[in-house]
Amino acid sequence: MKDFFKGKFTLTRRLFQIGTFLFFLAVYYTSHKQSFLLGTFYSFKLGPIHIVDPFIYLTYLGRNLLKADLFVWTVTGFLIPLLIAFLFGRVFCSWICPYNFLYEILDFLKTHLFRKKPLIYFEASPKSKKVWLALALALGIFIPPFPYYILMPGLLSVLLHQLVLHLYSFILFSLLLILMVLFVDLFFKKRIWCKFICPTGLILGMARWKGGLRIIKRKDLTCKECALCSFECPLGLTPHLGNHLEDCYNCGRCVDICKGLRKKENPLDFKFL
Amino acid sequence: MFKTKFLRPPGAVKESEFVKKCIRCGKCQQICPYNSIVLTSWENPFYFGLPYIIARKKPCYLCMKCPPVCPSGALDRTLVDKNKVKMGIARINRDTCWAYQGSFCRACFMNCPIFDKALKMTDELLPVVIEKYCVGCGICENVCPVEPSAIIVEPLKD
Amino acid sequence: MKCDRREFLKWSAALTAASVVGFELSLPENLQAVDVDKWIKSVCRYCGAGCGLYIGVKGGKVVAVKGDDKNWNRGYICVKGSYLPKILDAPDRLKYPMVREGGKWKRITWEEAMNLMVSKFAEAIKKYGPHSVGFYGSGQSYSEESYLANKLFKGALGTNNIDGNPRLCMASAAVGYVTSFGKDEPMGSYDDIYYADCFFIIGSNMSEAHPVIFRLIMEQKRKRKVKIIVADPRKTLTVRNADLHLDFIPGMDLYILNAMAHVIVKEKLYNKDFIDKHVVFKKLGPDNKPQKVNFEEYVKFLEEYTPELAEQKSGCPKEKIIQAARWFATSKATMSFWCMGLNQRTKGVWVNNLVNNLHLLTGQICRPGATPFSLTGQPNACGGIRDVGLLSHLLPYGRLVANDQHRAEMEEFWGLPKGRIHPKPGLTAVELFRKFAEGEIKCLWVVCTNPGQSLPNLEKYRKGMAREDTFLVVSEAYHPSRTSELADLVLPAALWCEKEGTYGQSERRYQYLPQVIKPLGEAKSDFEVILTFARKLLTALGRADEAKRLFPYKTTEDVWNEMRACSRNTVYNFWGMTRARLIKEHGMLWPVPTEDYPAPGTLRRYTAKYGDPLVKKYDPKAEDISFYGNPADGNRAVIWLRPAVGPAEPADKDYPFILTTGRLIEHWHTGTMTMKVPELMRAAPRAFVEINPKDAQKLGIKTGDMVRITSRRGSIVLPAKVVDIPRPGVVFVPFHYPDKLINILVTDAFDPMSKQPEFKISAVRIEKA
């Protein structure tokens, strides 16, 4: 269990993930009394601003074209996640996303309790990702419910609200969906969801800026080439080789785990600008 | 096989547009103080996650809290007057309604929020729906003592 | 979905009100088609209207009811009546006697229960005398049961501490009739609805409380364009179907009624001929004794009560008052209806007199369609309490406790030693419970009613009922109710069609209710319980001979026959209503002097021309009309000079709103029965407070907000219903709900004449909770 929280960044990140869960519970329990904080991961109302999932909003715009209601606070809310991704990369996925959290818990339990051999992580080429994203957008535009079947964070947050409300038909239906996805994700194509299918993740990944927050391997410090970071990386990347920029979601696990030759001289570190 | 007629929350745009516009974020459901709004699941997987109201279980009490929190224009944000809501129209089944059966009942009339306008009692003490004023909140359907309800709100067609 | 023509008609939204005008009602086909073994004629258990029913039985269970189309209600019943079968096997029906031991309920046998009860009562009587025990009866018990209880307490035990809950609902109307006409009970009947041209409804929300009668009136409105005047501080459904609405500040209707008389006199719309022949004028003298006056003095008295004054005091526009007075006086026949709005008042008798005055003044009386008609709230308040005399000041059939001759008559009839019946009237309902709370009454038996919810200023009396050193027995069909939860011993009572007996409704109509099914569990009819108790108690008191002599009955019919005999030499004479006839006929109206007197009996009293058989007997000289109940004034009725007085607790600066309580159609009284029906609970699930939109706007209250109502006696939190029904300054709360005891807030000030508390008017303040 200690492993799960070990490390400065990992511990903070876990607190964020648990905090997100508690925060949403708090929102759902108080939602009758206040309208300042409302919503799910599809769209979250923060005061007047409606932060929206970029993929949801893009499909919304595509579906409605000229008839779309371009509410100024929603448009603002659409830009916020993109801006965050631009500056800080896919921090949403690692620090907030409840599906990722759920996955990490289950993966941890699976490897530590059942001592299963780790699967090979799913890999996809950048080009195939772009093709899939275009396809997902098209599907989302022409089949309105499509995004809601594949966006796990939103589905989980809605599910959480239904648990508060005891709306069991919905809970059962969405739970089945989530379990199906988790099953594939955990036992067949490891991390296929986060690395390939999740359109929001893809969009956020594309929005990131090369100068934004990222993990680098410092040239001035010596790497032991112990490859511990690559063993521990939740996405199956290889930070010690330095080719991690594309998929990395800035969780900081490798920074935590990295052991340099001398103390406080770890070659892996976060960098901004 | 699947349910196709849904009573949408107050201020909803017409059904074909609603399906396209609603981003299913669930804010209307969260703010509803009466927990009247539920989300579609098995009823019709194509409408998965869309909010609607089961009037017989919990009708809309027209507190008008949900339209302002809609981010996508699926519910008309500017709507505040409950008299201008148009979710559907109540219809009375004369074959089972107690009043039309020679008994006397006025549950729908007394509970109608558009009181003495949307539902009228005629001189014969029969309830009558006035289409012009009926907002379709479903309170009448909810309180009708007949099982199944003798007054049912028909959601608006396009 | 295919929508054929029939489907379309069935579902037609009835888009305009005009499209249903002329819709002929049919009787429920789906109910007629219910598969039952047999239909048995009976009467509805709920309100005082007394609708005839057929009970459908199948396999020893009641499965359906339908309206009796040969009775006065012509097959119509209201929604709660339609769901009557569901009250019989509710899960909280009490199935066996239970005693409270150390705060816990313990099941005991009937034998043990009766022995315990008898020992407690006998001990109290031996130690403290007969006045230390009391009985609180009900206008829902069958007449035979009430008669037995009356005979036991007033006759055998010699205490007048026996009162009924009609004290809370009918006492003012009864005293009103007695003071105006000499004897109780209305002279007209529901049949008058078919002849009246103008209906004057005051202090009654008939559409909710007596829906079937209201339906008959509305039918007349459609067919004959009759005029309906409603005086009510709330814009109820009754008002909404009326032609003229007199809207007034609660409690100020005495001004309106006097102003109407003023207008009638001033515009010479009164019936001089009638007044000369049949009316005397009276007023209360300085020594509070009635004093005869003449017509001129009456006119002088009325001069003060101009419509302008009435407008100023009551807030009702004077044009409306004048219009109402004109319609009342000039219509071919005017029928008044009133109910709790007039009765539950500190000036209940006076305001009853004022309505009777209007009829006497205009001669709108003793003709078809012209009659003052008091509606009753309970199915047997008339037949079982007012007629049988189960009130602390009454003896059976119009006799009074305080009258030496009447007492002697009853002592002789019952075969009691001279002087057994105590000459002083006993404690009335509120006083009875006050004395019980103070510990003066040691043992109290509450039968078939729920005073733990229905008394005014409830907190005070509930504390008294919960006392440990007194003994409270409750006969109740449901447990726990708000009364039985405070009891020391609860006895399971058979309900409605589980026992047989007679009901007597508003219009003097006596109807027989057969036993249709076996009582649930060990429940017994109150008749059986009272009879057993009477015999055992008298034996325990060492009067075994009296037990045999006074209570020799085997069946309810024996008691019924004794009651017939008891009524024989009174104006209530129903000697002709044998049990066999009652079983056959669809209700009969007394007087029915002989067994061959044609059904349905006497529709109109005090008039020989329209068929009162007793006019000849009591006033042989009379040509047509004779108020023979009042021989002291030469068989004339009395117009009382009653000055207008406001309520006991008007709204003031600290308590600016007037709280008025009332009924909903779905529920009946304290809801012990109707709240067991899920369908009715769906229609009216919880208590609420109705607030006028203007008041609500001032206080920032919206529908659904929780509102705290505070009176001088307590406070309660209820959800608000902002609706244009009560007038500004008035709030309304239904009194049915056991979880929200609104009666805690209600004043227990009562009418000095009828001892009826003023439930209808209490000053409160409201604020957002």
Side-chain angles (χ1 to χ4, degrees), chain B residues 92 97 99-100 103-110 115-130, chain C residues 17 20 207 214-215 218 221 237-238 240-241 665:
Chain B
I92 296 168
C97 171
Y100 284 86
S103 183
F104 182 84
C105 175
R106 52 99 199 94
C108 49
F109 169 81
M110 279 313 266
F115 185 64
D116 208 13
K117 263 176 148 183
L119 265 165
K120 287 244 181 218
M121 288 302 257
T122 63
D123 279 358
E124 283 92 296
L125 301 172
L126 305 172
V128 167
V129 179
I130 309 297
Chain C
V20 280
S207 66
F214 192 60
R215 165 144 269 166
M218 292 314 288
K221 187 183 174 185
L237 184 54
T238 321
R240 282 163 201 276
N241 282 302
I665 187 175

Side-chain angles (χ1 to χ4, degrees), chain A residues 27-28 31-32 34-35 38-40 42-45 50 52 56 60 63-64 67 69 71 74 143-145 148-149 155 158 161-162 165 167 169-170 172-173 176-177, chain B residues 14 17 19-27 29-35 37-49 65 68-74 77:
Chain A
V27 167
Y28 296 153
S31 66
H32 290 176
Q34 50 92 15
S35 61
L38 277 184
T40 55
Y42 294 136
S43 165
F44 191 80
K45 183 172 179 296
H50 291 278
V52 282
I56 295 279
Y60 167 76
R63 264 205 301 276
N64 292 290
K67 279 185 183 168
D69 175 64
F71 185 38
T74 315
I143 309 173
Y148 307 95
Y149 280 104
L155 194 55
V158 174
H161 184 220
Q162 309 315 313
L165 291 182
L167 184 62
S169 66
F170 190 93
L172 208 66
F173 191 90
L176 272 180
L177 267 175
Chain B
K14 61 181 185 182
E17 232 172 274
V19 175
K20 282 192 203 161
K21 274 200 170 168
C22 174
I23 62 166
R24 314 180 193 200
C25 62
K27 282 176 207 150
Q29 190 197 18
Q30 286 169 19
I31 193 117
C32 180
Y34 304 96
N35 296 337
I37 300 177
V38 295
L39 301 183
T40 323
S41 54
W42 312 98
E43 301 94 300
N44 190 336
F46 189 76
Y47 290 166
F48 178 62
K65 280 186 177 159
V69 299
C70 182
S72 67
R77 266 190 306 281

Side-chain angles (χ1 to χ4, degrees), chain C residues 211-410:
Chain C
V212 177
I213 307 176
F214 192 60
R215 165 144 269 166
L216 297 187
I217 295 177
M218 292 314 288
E219 193 182 66
Q220 295 309 309
K221 187 183 174 185
R222 174 164 69 85
K223 286 190 177 152
R224 301 193 288 121
K225 303 268 177 268
V226 296
K227 296 242 173 8
I228 299 176
I229 309 164
V230 182
D232 201 313
R234 291 172 66 223
K235 256 199 231 167
T236 57
L237 184 54
T238 321
V239 168
R240 282 163 201 276
N241 282 302
D243 299 287
L244 183 61
H245 176 208
L246 306 178
D247 179 16
F248 59 93
I249 298 166
M252 296 300 176
D253 40 357
L254 282 85
Y255 286 97
I256 294 181
L257 291 167
N258 269 335
M260 281 172 73
H262 175 97
V263 173
I264 289 168
V265 167
K266 206 173 134 201
E267 302 192 356
K268 304 239 178 297
L269 300 172
Y270 55 88
N271 188 337
K272 187 83 180 103
D273 186 44
F274 184 87
I275 292 174
D276 288 344
K277 272 193 194 156
H278 304 296
V279 174
V280 292
F281 294 87
K282 276 189 188 176
K283 71 169 185 187
L284 281 187
D287 53 348
N288 248 359
K289 285 231 171 77
Q291 184 183 330
K292 267 196 195 174
V293 295
N294 56 18
F295 181 62
E296 281 65 41
E297 207 162 329
Y298 180 60
V299 173
K300 223 170 93 195
F301 161 80
L302 285 178
E303 253 165 36
E304 178 194 344
Y305 295 102
T306 56
E308 286 77 17
L309 179 79
E311 177 170 353
Q312 185 199 333
K313 291 278 185 188
S314 70
C316 177
K318 64 176 185 201
E319 297 78 29
K320 285 186 174 181
I321 298 174
I322 296 169
Q323 181 70 74
R326 285 181 188 153
W327 280 359
F328 191 103
T330 56
S331 87
K332 261 185 251 152
T334 303
M335 187 171 186
S336 313
F337 285 102
W338 69 92
C339 197
M340 293 312 127
L342 297 196
N343 295 343
Q344 290 178 337
R345 299 274 297 282
T346 45
K347 288 283 168 272
V349 175
W350 289 20
V351 74
N352 265 281
N353 288 147
L354 289 179
V355 176
N356 294 337
N357 282 0
L358 290 179
H359 281 274
L360 292 170
L361 197 59
T362 53
Q364 296 280 21
I365 196 163
C366 296
R367 288 184 273 130
T371 188
F373 194 98
S374 144
L375 295 162
T376 54
Q378 295 186 89
N380 204 19
C382 286
I385 302 293
R386 282 157 66 175
D387 297 358
V388 162
L390 194 106
L391 290 172
S392 59
H393 68 290
L394 287 179
L395 287 170
Y397 303 108
R399 299 176 177 97
L400 294 171
V401 162
N403 186 316
D404 298 337
Q405 194 203 329
H406 290 173
R407 277 203 315 280
E409 266 174 47
M410 280 322 293

Side-chain angles (χ1 to χ4, degrees), chain B residues 5 34 56 61 82 89-96 98-107 109-111 115-116 120-126 128-131 141-147 149-152, chain C residues 6 9-17 20-23 25-31 76-79 82-83 207-208 211 214-215 218 221-222 237 240-241 664-666 679 682-683 690 703-704 721 723 725:
Chain B
K5 282 179 181 169
Y34 304 96
R56 190 65 172 160
Y61 290 99
K82 67 177 181 181
I89 286 168
R91 294 203 303 168
I92 296 168
N93 183 343
R94 291 181 177 184
D95 280 5
T96 55
W98 278 121
Y100 284 86
Q101 295 301 303
S103 183
F104 182 84
C105 175
R106 52 99 199 94
F109 169 81
M110 279 313 266
N111 289 286
F115 185 64
D116 208 13
K120 287 244 181 218
M121 288 302 257
T122 63
D123 279 358
E124 283 92 296
L125 301 172
L126 305 172
V128 167
V129 179
I130 309 297
E131 192 171 293
E141 181 178 338
N142 183 258
V143 298
C144 179
V146 181
E147 198 66 50
S149 184
I151 182 165
I152 283 180
Chain C
R6 187 181 150 68
L9 276 178
K10 164 180 150 185
W11 277 106
S12 78
L15 300 177
T16 59
V20 280
V21 168
F23 182 88
L25 289 174
S26 58
L27 292 173
E29 284 167 39
N30 45 352
L31 269 186
Y76 297 147
I77 48 175
C78 77
V79 64
S82 311
Y83 286 112
S207 66
E208 306 246 351
F214 192 60
R215 165 144 269 166
M218 292 314 288
K221 187 183 174 185
R222 174 164 69 85
L237 184 54
R240 282 163 201 276
N241 282 302
L664 304 175
I665 187 175
E666 288 89 0
E679 284 85 352
R682 175 181 267 289
E690 272 178 9
T703 297
K721 186 173 173 187
V723 61
I725 293 180

Side-chain angles (χ1 to χ4, degrees), chain A residues 168-187:
Chain A
Y168 294 110
S169 66
F170 190 93
I171 293 169
L172 208 66
F173 191 90
S174 47
L175 210 58
L176 272 180
L177 267 175
I178 292 166
L179 287 179
M180 242 158 63
V181 171
L182 271 174
F183 190 68
V184 173
D185 222 1
L186 275 169
F187 298 107

Side-chain angles (χ1 to χ4, degrees), chain C residues 535-601:
Chain C
R535 286 174 184 159
K536 282 199 171 189
L537 179 66
L538 288 177
T539 315
L541 291 171
R543 293 193 238 154
D545 59 319
E546 261 186 31
K548 266 195 207 122
R549 194 156 46 81
L550 293 181
F551 298 98
Y553 318 107
K554 286 204 178 64
T555 61
T556 55
E557 195 178 347
D558 300 339
V559 181
W560 179 248
N561 288 335
E562 185 178 319
M563 290 162 73
R564 279 167 54 215
C566 185
S567 76
R568 203 167 178 182
N569 289 319
T570 66
V571 300
Y572 290 76
N573 192 347
F574 57 89
W575 174 252
M577 286 193 213
T578 58
R579 190 38 69 88
R581 278 194 91 186
L582 278 182
I583 291 171
K584 199 178 114 228
E585 303 294 347
H586 298 261
M588 291 184 83
L589 285 74
W590 56 262
V592 182
T594 56
E595 281 179 36
D596 52 3
Y597 193 79

